[in-house]
Amino acid sequence: GAGVSQSPSNKVTEKGKDVELRCDPISGHTALYWYRQSLGQGLEFLIYFQGNSAPDKSGLPSDRFSAERTGGSVSTLTIQRTQQEDSAVYLCASSLGGQGAVNYGYTFGSGTRLTVV
Amino acid sequence: AQSVTQLGSHVSVSEGALVLLRCNYSSSVPPYLFWYVQYPNQGLQLLLKYTSAATLVKGINGFEAEFKKSETSFHLTKPSAHMSDAAEYFCAVSSNTGNQFYFGTGTSLTVIP
């Protein structure tokens, strides 16, 4: 597609439920990133996928968080047993891999605003 | 380790006045530096980037930034603020692998008519 598409744009869930957030990157972008944006705390790196390499999961805050990327394209971020502190905007970005990310930067989606009540 | 610090979480300027948003970086390797802008309910949009070419970088919407190695700074400026510049601005640093960008906490710019 023309841009990075994220769905849903808003999600309200009850504490303890599981949620899935979807990201559809720009066609041809081999790198995909998930960030979490909490109020007043900037962007927190969660996970990075590059081609067929093992993902960099170093930013995932707990084992309740997981992500996968099927076929090198669409990615799903799953949060199990959601907690109120999980409430945030979850941003997905894609880029040409490696040096391409540096040369051209990331392209971000509009995010999914997650509210855990 | 790489990080960026944005001084001032909120900045207010009058329409037509100079915009100055501060960013200092910490990097153990030559950095690649970026400024992104986020309008309400939107994702982040690349404003400009420094990738070891010219130290004065010009971006979109009349913004520019100067890389100053001696001061480890990459401040964002615009000579004359416009109402449409009101947004959140993020500074970011990356290594040359591009594997991960480290973002600052953001500066919210308000433009007063």
Side-chain angles (χ1 to χ4, degrees), chain B residues 84-104:
Chain B
S84 61
D85 295 328
E88 188 90 12
Y89 291 81
F90 292 92
C91 183
V93 64
S94 171
S95 68
N96 60 359
T97 63
N99 287 355
Q100 189 181 140
F101 284 25
Y102 298 87
F103 287 86

Side-chain angles (χ1 to χ4, degrees), chain B residues 26-45:
Chain B
S26 170
S27 177
S28 57
V29 297
Y32 292 84
L33 295 158
F34 304 79
W35 275 99
Y36 281 83
V37 60
Q38 185 180 33
Y39 298 103
N41 300 315
Q42 295 186 27
L44 279 70
Q45 177 183 357

